[in-house]
Coordinates of all heavy atoms in Angstrom, one line a residue:
G1 N 127.8 -29.1 23.3 CA 127.0 -29.5 24.5 C 127.6 -29.1 25.8 O 126.8 -28.6 26.7
I2 N 128.9 -29.2 26.0 CA 129.5 -28.8 27.2 C 129.3 -27.3 27.5 O 129.0 -26.9 28.6 CB 131.0 -29.1 27.2 CG1 131.2 -30.7 27.3 CG2 131.7 -28.4 28.3 CD1 132.6 -31.1 27.2
L3 N 129.5 -26.5 26.4 CA 129.3 -25.0 26.6 C 127.9 -24.7 26.9 O 127.6 -23.8 27.7 CB 129.8 -24.3 25.3 CG 131.3 -24.4 25.0 CD1 131.6 -23.8 23.6 CD2 132.1 -23.7 26.0
S4 N 126.9 -25.4 26.3 CA 125.5 -25.2 26.6 C 125.1 -25.6 28.0 O 124.4 -24.8 28.7 CB 124.6 -26.0 25.6 OG 124.8 -25.5 24.3
L5 N 125.7 -26.7 28.5 CA 125.4 -27.1 29.8 C 126.0 -26.1 30.9 O 125.4 -25.9 31.9 CB 126.1 -28.5 30.1 CG 125.3 -29.7 29.5 CD1 126.2 -31.0 29.6 CD2 124.0 -29.9 30.1
L6 N 127.2 -25.6 30.6 CA 127.7 -24.6 31.5 C 126.9 -23.4 31.6 O 126.6 -22.8 32.6 CB 129.1 -24.2 31.0 CG 130.3 -25.1 31.3 CD1 131.6 -24.7 30.6 CD2 130.6 -25.2 32.8
K7 N 126.4 -22.9 30.4 CA 125.5 -21.8 30.4 C 124.2 -22.0 31.1 O 123.8 -21.2 31.9 CB 125.2 -21.4 28.9 CG 124.4 -20.1 28.7 CD 124.2 -19.7 27.3 CE 123.5 -18.4 27.1 NZ 123.3 -18.1 25.7
E8 N 123.6 -23.2 30.9 CA 122.4 -23.5 31.6 C 122.6 -23.6 33.2 O 121.8 -23.1 33.9 CB 121.9 -24.9 31.2 CG 121.2 -24.8 29.8 CD 120.6 -26.2 29.4 OE1 120.4 -27.1 30.3 OE2 120.5 -26.4 28.2
A9 N 123.7 -24.2 33.6 CA 124.0 -24.3 35.0 C 124.2 -22.9 35.7 O 123.7 -22.7 36.8 CB 125.3 -25.2 35.2
I10 N 124.8 -22.0 34.9 CA 125.0 -20.7 35.5 C 123.7 -19.9 35.6 O 123.4 -19.3 36.6 CB 126.0 -19.9 34.6 CG1 127.4 -20.5 34.7 CG2 126.0 -18.4 34.9 CD1 128.4 -20.0 33.6
L11 N 122.9 -20.0 34.6 CA 121.6 -19.3 34.6 C 120.7 -19.8 35.7 O 119.9 -19.1 36.3 CB 120.9 -19.4 33.2 CG 121.6 -18.6 32.1 CD1 120.9 -18.9 30.8 CD2 121.6 -17.1 32.4
A12 N 120.8 -21.2 35.9 CA 119.9 -21.8 36.9 C 120.5 -21.7 38.3 O 119.8 -22.1 39.3 CB 119.6 -23.3 36.6
G13 N 121.7 -21.3 38.5 CA 122.4 -21.3 39.8 C 122.2 -20.1 40.7 O 122.8 -20.1 41.8
G14 N 121.4 -19.1 40.2 CA 121.2 -18.0 41.0 C 122.3 -16.9 41.0 O 123.2 -17.0 40.2
L15 N 122.2 -16.0 41.9 CA 123.2 -14.9 42.0 C 124.6 -15.3 42.2 O 125.5 -14.8 41.5 CB 122.8 -13.9 43.1 CG 123.6 -12.7 43.2 CD1 123.6 -11.8 41.9 CD2 123.2 -11.8 44.4
K16 N 124.8 -16.3 43.1 CA 126.2 -16.8 43.4 C 126.9 -17.4 42.1 O 128.0 -17.1 41.9 CB 126.2 -17.8 44.5 CG 125.9 -17.2 45.9 CD 126.0 -18.3 47.0 CE 125.8 -17.7 48.3 NZ 125.9 -18.7 49.4
A17 N 126.1 -18.1 41.4 CA 126.6 -18.8 40.2 C 127.0 -17.7 39.1 O 128.0 -17.8 38.5 CB 125.6 -19.7 39.6
K18 N 126.1 -16.7 39.0 CA 126.4 -15.6 38.1 C 127.6 -14.8 38.4 O 128.4 -14.4 37.6 CB 125.2 -14.7 37.9 CG 124.0 -15.4 37.2 CD 122.7 -14.6 37.2 CE 121.6 -15.3 36.6 NZ 120.3 -14.6 36.7
I19 N 127.8 -14.6 39.7 CA 129.0 -13.8 40.2 C 130.2 -14.7 39.9 O 131.3 -14.2 39.4 CB 128.9 -13.5 41.7 CG1 127.8 -12.5 41.9 CG2 130.2 -13.0 42.2 CD1 127.5 -12.2 43.3
G20 N 130.1 -16.0 40.2 CA 131.2 -16.9 39.9 C 131.6 -17.0 38.5 O 132.7 -17.0 38.1
A21 N 130.5 -17.0 37.6 CA 130.7 -17.0 36.2 C 131.5 -15.7 35.7 O 132.3 -15.8 34.8 CB 129.4 -17.2 35.4
L22 N 131.1 -14.6 36.3 CA 131.7 -13.3 35.9 C 133.2 -13.4 36.3 O 134.1 -12.9 35.5 CB 131.1 -12.2 36.7 CG 131.5 -10.8 36.3 CD1 131.2 -10.5 34.9 CD2 130.8 -9.7 37.2
L23 N 133.6 -14.0 37.4 CA 135.0 -14.1 37.8 C 135.7 -15.1 36.9 O 136.9 -14.9 36.7 CB 135.1 -14.5 39.3 CG 134.5 -13.5 40.3 CD1 134.5 -14.2 41.7 CD2 135.4 -12.3 40.4
L24 N 135.0 -16.1 36.4 CA 135.6 -17.1 35.6 C 135.5 -16.8 34.1 O 135.9 -17.6 33.3 CB 134.9 -18.5 35.9 CG 135.3 -19.1 37.2 CD1 134.4 -20.3 37.4 CD2 136.7 -19.6 37.2
K25 N 135.0 -15.6 33.8 CA 134.8 -15.2 32.4 C 136.1 -15.4 31.5 O 136.0 -15.9 30.4 CB 134.3 -13.8 32.3 CG 133.8 -13.4 30.9 CD 133.2 -12.1 30.9 CE 132.6 -11.7 29.5 NZ 132.0 -10.4 29.5
P26 N 137.3 -15.0 32.0 CA 138.5 -15.2 31.2 C 138.8 -16.7 30.9 O 139.2 -17.0 29.8 CB 139.6 -14.5 32.1 CG 138.9 -13.5 32.9 CD 137.5 -14.2 33.2
A27 N 138.5 -17.5 31.9 CA 138.7 -18.9 31.8 C 137.8 -19.5 30.8 O 138.1 -20.4 29.9 CB 138.6 -19.7 33.1

């Protein structure tokens, strides 16, 4: 559930969220 929620939040967060997710990809 936590992994699914993170994915949903990133997809719904717009461009900034996606860029942040890209930077946090290793984490």
